[in-house]
DNA sequence: CACCCGCGTACACGAATATC
DNA sequence: GATATTCGTGTACGCGGGTG
């Protein structure tokens, strides 16, 4: 249907602007064109694509379903093109003066930033790194606004204008304070599986940045036909560690972080009584940065540091 | 109802480019 | 170099939907 021979790139930019603004006046402002020029371009688009694209509704234009379906892929394609045309700039880590903004939970403050900091300090002393912990679901928006260069989060359906790469699958273990009375009384040594009955009878603390009492452990228990008592929710993983170390509450906790922190945090690791599906952690960024040499360099560093977390064979999560 | 706003069109004009 | 084409601009105007 679409007649690509009568399309030029500027028409696609007009279409993108119209989809963003929902108005020829707004699109004109965005493109530095007059309203009649945008209207004429829209006419050419309609002819070339064989679709009305927008219909008037009150004081504005409403996209047809065809136009709506183009929005994400079109924007992604234009941004990709933009980065292609920008060409590969040179990036010299030793000389670069740059700030990188990464969003992710405090899990990454522990598991990524120390190693990343050590590497950057050595290889790229002019770089500054900022890790911000955003309310969940705001990571993608922050990428779009370009407040953040890279977001670290569980994989889900990401918008078409983003690109992502898998980092590792996070496994979960149970943590409790060393010498936990109920676990000791049950004759359990660290590394052993906590029986379901006992696991469900103990109080739990979980990490939830937005303050929920329901976590993936509850989903796993529901599948097993059981439930637990979540008595506390804390917004950061480090807080969960502190609470577990100071109380008789137990927690489901990322294995890698638990292993790293257990020697100094006064906690012991146990196996949960039910299977908990691992969570795929990914890094996601704006497509326009895909070819950016500095960004590529940073992604390489993050990938190198975090990928091994998924490769370690972890005895504490068997069962 | 009058009024405002925004879309769409018509028209004249100019600049850039293609064609002869 | 003259001419035609394309594409943009500004102005003007009709239409229709919101708003007070």
């Amino acid at each position: 249907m679409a007649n690509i021979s009568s399309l030029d790139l500027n028409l696609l930019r007009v279409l993108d602007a119209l989809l963003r603004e929902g108005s020829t006046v707004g699109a004109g402002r965005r493109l530095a064109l007059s309203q009649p020029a945008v209207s004429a371009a829209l006419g050419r688009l309609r002819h070339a694509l064989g679709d009305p694209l927008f219909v008037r509704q009150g004081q504005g234009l409403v996209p047809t379903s065809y136009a709506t379906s183009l929005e994400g892929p079109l924007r992604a394609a234009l941004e990709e093109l933009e980065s292609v045309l920008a060409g590969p700039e040179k990036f010299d880590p030793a000389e670069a003066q740059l700030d990188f903004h990464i969003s992710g939970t405090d899990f990454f403050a522990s598991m990524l930033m120390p190693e990343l900091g050590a590497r950057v300090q050595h290889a790229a002393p002019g770089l500054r790194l900022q890790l911000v912990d955003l309310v969940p679901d705001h990571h993608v928006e922050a990428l779009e606004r370009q407040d953040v260069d890279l977001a670290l989060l569980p994989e889900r359906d990401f918008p078409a204008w983003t690109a992502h790469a898998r980092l590792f699958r996070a496994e979960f273990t149970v943590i409790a304070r060393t010498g936990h009375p109920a676990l000791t009384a049950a004759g359990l040594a660290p590394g052993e599986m906590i029986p379901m009955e006992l696991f469900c009878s103990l109080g739990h603390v979980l990490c939830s940045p937005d303050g929920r009492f329901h976590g993936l452990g509850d989903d796993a228990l529901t599948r097993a036909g059981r439930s637990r008592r979540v008595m506390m929710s804390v917004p950061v993983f480090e807080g969960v560690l502190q609470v577990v170390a100071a109380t008789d509450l137990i927690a489901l906790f990322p294995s890698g972080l638990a292993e790293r922190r257990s020697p100094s945090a006064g906690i012991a690791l146990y196996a949960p009584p039910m299977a908990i599906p691992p969570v795929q952690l990914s890094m996601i960024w704006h497509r326009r940065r895909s070819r950016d040499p500095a960004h590529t360099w940073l992604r390489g560093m993050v990938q190198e540091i975090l990928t091994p977390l998924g490769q370690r064979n972890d005895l504490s999560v068997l069962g």
Side-chain angles (χ1 to χ4, degrees):
Chain A
M1 192 63 67
N3 180 4
I4 202 161
S5 64
S6 56
L7 270 181
D8 70 41
L9 188 58
N10 285 319
L11 286 183
L12 295 180
R13 289 181 62 240
V14 171
L15 179 54
D16 178 54
L18 282 166
L19 284 164
R20 288 170 187 265
E21 300 283 338
S23 130
T24 57
V25 171
R29 244 194 317 270
R30 183 178 277 268
L31 297 167
L33 291 179
S34 69
Q35 179 272 322
V38 174
S39 183
L42 176 55
R44 274 173 269 137
L45 277 163
R46 284 167 168 156
H47 184 253
L49 300 179
D51 186 273
L53 297 172
F54 294 87
V55 292
R56 272 185 72 164
Q57 189 178 85
Q59 299 187 343
L61 294 176
V62 176
T64 63
S65 54
Y66 173 63
T68 303
S69 77
L70 294 179
E71 179 161 16
L74 174 65
R75 210 197 301 179
L78 286 174
E79 276 158 359
E80 182 89 24
L81 194 55
E82 200 173 293
S83 83
V84 167
L85 295 176
E89 309 147 37
K90 285 268 187 287
F91 173 65
D92 178 2
E95 294 299 322
Q97 299 286 328
L98 274 179
D99 289 356
F100 278 121
H101 308 280
I102 302 172
S103 74
T105 63
D106 73 316
F107 174 90
F108 295 102
S110 300
M111 301 304 279
L112 170 67
M113 299 311 273
E115 176 73 21
L116 186 58
R119 293 189 187 207
V120 163
Q121 184 182 24
H122 182 253
L127 294 197
R128 295 197 301 177
L129 297 169
Q130 181 190 54
L131 178 70
V132 289
D133 189 0
L134 300 168
V135 179
D137 304 331
H138 285 48
H139 296 270
V140 173
E141 289 170 34
L143 282 174
E144 188 171 16
R145 288 198 311 270
Q146 303 190 58
D147 294 343
V148 154
D149 300 299
L150 194 63
L152 306 166
L153 70 175
E155 187 165 304
R156 55 170 189 260
D157 280 340
F158 297 126
W161 52 266
T162 65
H164 70 278
R166 293 186 163 183
L167 294 167
F168 63 95
R169 287 159 72 83
E171 311 264 359
F172 290 84
T173 186
V174 181
I175 56 172
R177 71 179 170 104
T178 50
H180 188 288
L183 298 179
T184 307
L188 289 171
E192 293 182 340
M193 190 188 83
I194 303 177
M196 181 62 90
E197 227 31 78
L198 181 55
F199 180 82
C200 293
S201 72
L202 293 171
H204 292 244
V205 52
L206 61 74
C207 178
S208 171
D210 48 359
R212 282 173 302 171
F213 285 119
H214 188 96
L216 80 179
D218 298 282
D219 297 331
L221 279 174
T222 302
R223 280 192 294 277
R226 305 297 296 255
S227 64
R228 64 174 176 173
R229 294 188 301 140
V230 175
M231 302 181 66
M232 188 185 292
S233 160
V234 173
V236 291
F237 288 105
E238 192 60 30
V240 173
L241 281 174
Q242 302 280 343
V243 169
V244 166
T247 68
D248 289 341
L249 298 179
I250 64 172
L252 280 166
F253 205 76
S255 303
L257 183 54
E259 283 165 22
R260 178 166 301 186
R261 298 286 284 108
S262 61
S264 59
I267 57 161
L269 280 60
Y270 297 85
M274 73 293 189
I276 301 170
V279 171
Q280 177 67 54
L281 270 298
S282 293
M283 59 178 167
I284 159 174
W285 63 93
H286 201 294
R287 246 176 211 280
R288 77 172 66 196
R289 307 297 299 279
S290 288
R291 287 165 207 269
D292 179 328
H295 201 270
T296 305
W297 181 87
L298 176 71
R299 296 199 305 268
M301 286 279 163
V302 171
Q303 186 97 56
E304 273 178 38
I305 295 166
L306 290 178
T307 300
L309 293 184
Q311 292 164 351
R312 201 171 34 220
N313 234 347
D314 185 342
L315 298 173
S316 63
V317 290
L318 294 178

